[in-house]
Amino acid sequence: MGKRGILRLAQLFILTGLALGAMAPAGAQQPQQEQKPVVLEILDLLKARGQITPAEHSALSERAQQEIETLQRGGSLPAAAVAVPAAAAAARPVVAVAVPAAAAAARPVVAGASPAAAVPVAVAAAEPKKDLNSVKVFFKNGLQFETEDGTVKMKIGGRIQNDWGMVDPSDAIEATTGDMSTLWGTRLRRARIVTEGQLTESLGFKAEYDFASGVPAVNDVYIWAQVPYLQRVQVGHMKEPWALQDLTSASWLTFMERALPVSLSTLRNTGIASMQNYADQRLTWAVGGFRDTDQFGYGFSGQNAWDFTTRLTGLPVWQNDGRRLVHVGGAYSYQVRDDATFQTKALPETIFGSPLIDTGAFRGGNANLGNVQFAWVEGPFTMALEGDYIAVDSVPADDPSAWGWYTEASFFLTGESKPYDQIQACFVRPVPKENFGFKPGDGWGAWEVAARYSHLDLSDPGFPEPIELNQAPPGTLSDITLGVNWYLTPNFRWTMNYVYSDRSPAGSANVAQMRFQVDY
């Protein structure tokens, strides 16, 4: 409380004491030992606590004594002495000093006294000030810190994904990739540490690094701000606003790996982007400019290597907090390049083994990328469909193009629904109705079954034929994937996938894999 507020509070205490004193019967006998007026005791207490200075204490005490004597002589106080500023009355809760009705009726008003001295006096109670140095610490999908007023927040989290798998390629694939007849083993797919938060209501950050390869790789490392008209603006290394499956976190995908068209995606680069929401969060628009960078966020040269990407999505159906929804959208990216090297290749929706089709490296210039996306959620059932296309300006490769698409469906056997974030326009963390455990009352978590078909066409005749040993040729690849997900809690998940991959030219592969995951 500031000094002005303390003085105002002291003044109101004085008025309260005077009002109560004025209600005493005129002929009441004084006690044998005269007591100090309560208002003077309050001033002494404020001085002892250091809330008013000795000079202020002396001035207020003298003024209080004068006003007591004025009332005792039958005089009245100035109107300003009892007035409470309107602004203060509106801003602060009012506490009424109540006088019992019987006492008010039994005690006459001092002759000549102001009516305000005979009625209850409104005292403005000081609003408690929030302690900005007080920090709450709690766990909610990560260790979180938050100041009492909620303006400063921070979260420390991470992700571990341990994959186990077996790949059984056909003889034709063995001949082109050099793989042995059967491969099996394990690896860390992701091992990430993330820190994110906000330092004011309109400024924040995120820093996420992956250590699975043994070398720290940059993922989402950016600063964000809430800017008028532009809404959320991000600067740094981030995902470009592109496909639905790309923007959905790898921790919350239905399958272990994204569908085959991800080979045509832009994924992460360093730049600046604006994310906007309209129509009660049922329409989103994102646009940004990005510099093409490596896994460490580095991209510095005399060559043009820029992406200009935009995404527009809508929710024509949104009911029951997202348990019933229809998502539609599209994205476009124009890539500016100066005689750059292009290459696209694909594995059969696994991290194990070797690519089964490959365009090989070729020189090219600018490129146009397009995407269309659709999703439907009906309670425990979810269906998604996406398509991607790329066309590259290249004289050596005769301006080649490639395309791909996928469709998938999933169903929660335990009744949950796939959650959707209206701000990001993508799917987010599934939450079981009951967590798995061995204590009484624990459940079995959430169980989900899923199936997907995906196709990637890299068969344009402009793509070069393999010139290196064990390099896969260009062609087409089609995958059928079956999956089972067990969400033990919102943070622990076990996944099993089976993939049948068919390649043209000849060859096929069978993949069995599973993942143990914790995400917090």
Side-chain angles (χ1 to χ4, degrees):
M1 180 184 296
K3 186 172 291 183
R4 180 178 297 177
I6 293 173
L7 295 178
R8 171 63 63 189
L9 184 60
Q11 183 183 32
L12 294 175
F13 275 132
I14 291 172
L15 298 177
T16 303
L18 295 178
L20 294 176
M23 295 177 187
Q29 295 183 353
Q30 298 293 327
Q32 294 181 356
Q33 184 177 0
E34 184 177 356
Q35 291 184 343
K36 196 171 187 178
V38 65
V39 64
L40 297 180
E41 291 184 357
I42 292 173
L43 291 173
D44 291 343
L45 183 60
L46 293 174
K47 176 186 174 183
R49 292 182 176 178
Q51 294 178 290
I52 59 175
T53 65
E56 292 167 345
H57 173 269
S58 177
L60 288 171
S61 297
E62 181 179 355
R63 181 176 173 183
Q65 190 62 47
Q66 291 173 356
E67 291 177 345
I68 290 172
E69 292 173 358
T70 299
L71 288 175
Q72 289 176 345
R73 291 194 303 268
S76 61
L77 298 179
V82 296
V84 179
R92 298 180 177 180
V94 174
V95 179
V97 182
V99 180
R107 296 180 179 181
V109 177
V110 177
S114 166
V119 297
V121 180
V123 180
E127 182 180 354
K129 186 175 181 180
K130 293 182 178 179
D131 183 5
L132 299 183
N133 294 320
S134 177
V135 178
K136 298 183 295 182
V137 181
F138 57 96
F139 183 89
K140 183 179 180 182
N141 297 324
L143 185 61
Q144 303 204 32
F145 307 83
E146 184 176 321
T147 57
E148 186 177 348
D149 65 346
T151 58
V152 180
K153 302 177 182 179
M154 185 173 293
K155 174 184 174 182
I156 299 175
R159 182 187 314 176
I160 299 172
Q161 293 178 344
N162 178 208
D163 288 7
W164 295 75
M166 181 181 69
V167 180
D168 182 20
S170 66
D171 293 341
I173 289 181
E174 287 181 49
T176 56
T177 64
D179 287 342
M180 296 182 296
S181 59
T182 303
L183 304 171
W184 64 88
T186 183
R187 65 163 290 176
L188 286 177
R189 180 65 175 93
R190 295 176 178 88
R192 296 183 181 178
I193 296 177
V194 56
T195 302
E196 59 182 316
Q198 64 179 50
L199 303 181
T200 70
E201 292 181 349
S202 57
L203 293 171
F205 67 94
K206 183 176 182 181
E208 181 180 78
Y209 297 87
D210 196 329
F211 298 86
S213 64
V215 179
V218 173
N219 284 287
D220 292 326
V221 180
Y222 58 78
I223 300 169
W224 61 262
Q226 292 292 340
V227 179
Y229 304 109
L230 297 178
Q231 299 188 27
R232 184 182 175 103
V233 175
Q234 294 182 179
V235 181
H237 195 261
M238 70 193 92
K239 291 180 178 178
E240 296 189 22
W242 191 246
L244 176 62
Q245 68 164 348
D246 294 357
L247 294 176
T248 298
S249 168
S251 297
W252 308 326
L253 292 169
T254 304
F255 298 90
M256 290 175 59
E257 299 296 329
R258 292 180 171 92
L260 291 173
V262 72
S263 302
L264 308 178
S265 297
T266 58
L267 289 182
R268 288 182 173 90
N269 280 309
T270 300
I272 179 170
S274 169
M275 289 78 169
Q276 303 173 28
N277 283 266
Y278 302 97
D280 195 23
Q281 299 183 352
R282 295 182 66 167
L283 181 68
T284 74
W285 180 53
V287 60
F290 303 86
R291 177 74 179 186
D292 186 42
T293 58
D294 60 17
Q295 62 176 338
F296 305 107
Y298 180 81
F300 190 80
S301 70
Q303 300 291 316
N304 279 321
W306 302 98
D307 295 354
F308 300 95
T309 307
T310 185
R311 179 182 187 237
L312 179 67
T313 72
L315 289 171
V317 176
W318 176 267
Q319 298 175 4
N320 197 14
D321 293 329
R323 284 187 61 87
R324 185 170 190 265
L325 68 86
V326 172
H327 162 106
V328 294
Y332 170 76
S333 181
Y334 182 65
Q335 297 184 345
V336 181
R337 300 290 189 270
D338 290 339
D339 194 26
T341 299
F342 286 83
Q343 184 173 10
T344 300
K345 50 189 175 183
L347 286 81
E349 296 178 15
T350 182
I351 197 63
F352 299 108
S354 302
L356 300 190
I357 56 173
D358 190 343
T359 64
F362 63 96
R363 308 298 292 180
N366 302 335
N368 289 273
L369 288 76
N371 165 274
V372 291
Q373 50 197 259
F374 170 84
W376 171 35
V377 175
E378 191 72 45
F381 173 79
T382 301
M383 189 191 80
L385 171 67
E386 282 196 276
D388 288 84
Y389 176 83
I390 183 173
V392 182
D393 295 336
S394 172
V395 174
D398 195 23
D399 298 339
S401 62
W403 59 277
W405 66 280
Y406 78 88
T407 182
E408 67 180 39
S410 64
F411 188 85
F412 278 96
L413 302 175
T414 45
E416 289 81 1
S417 184
K418 194 175 291 291
Y420 179 94
D421 187 328
Q422 291 181 267
I423 302 296
Q424 303 178 67
C426 64
F427 292 110
V428 291
R429 182 192 307 275
V431 178
K433 292 182 178 180
E434 295 180 339
N435 290 340
F436 172 78
F438 298 100
K439 297 184 299 183
D442 288 340
W444 285 95
W447 287 83
E448 181 185 29
V449 293
R452 177 171 68 192
Y453 175 83
S454 62
H455 179 82
L456 180 64
D457 190 326
L458 304 180
S459 62
D460 192 291
F463 293 132
E465 291 296 324
I467 58 175
E468 297 179 2
L469 185 64
N470 299 332
Q471 178 183 332
T476 64
L477 191 65
S478 298
D479 286 356
I480 297 175
T481 305
L482 304 177
V484 176
N485 295 313
W486 181 20
Y487 304 92
L488 289 80
T489 75
N491 307 102
F492 286 88
R493 169 179 170 179
W494 173 82
T495 298
M496 187 174 70
N497 285 177
Y498 165 75
V499 184
Y500 174 75
S501 189
D502 183 59
R503 185 188 72 171
S504 177
S508 63
N510 292 275
V511 180
Q513 56 189 356
M514 64 180 176
R515 172 176 296 167
F516 300 93
Q517 170 182 301
V518 58
D519 171 79
Y520 60 95

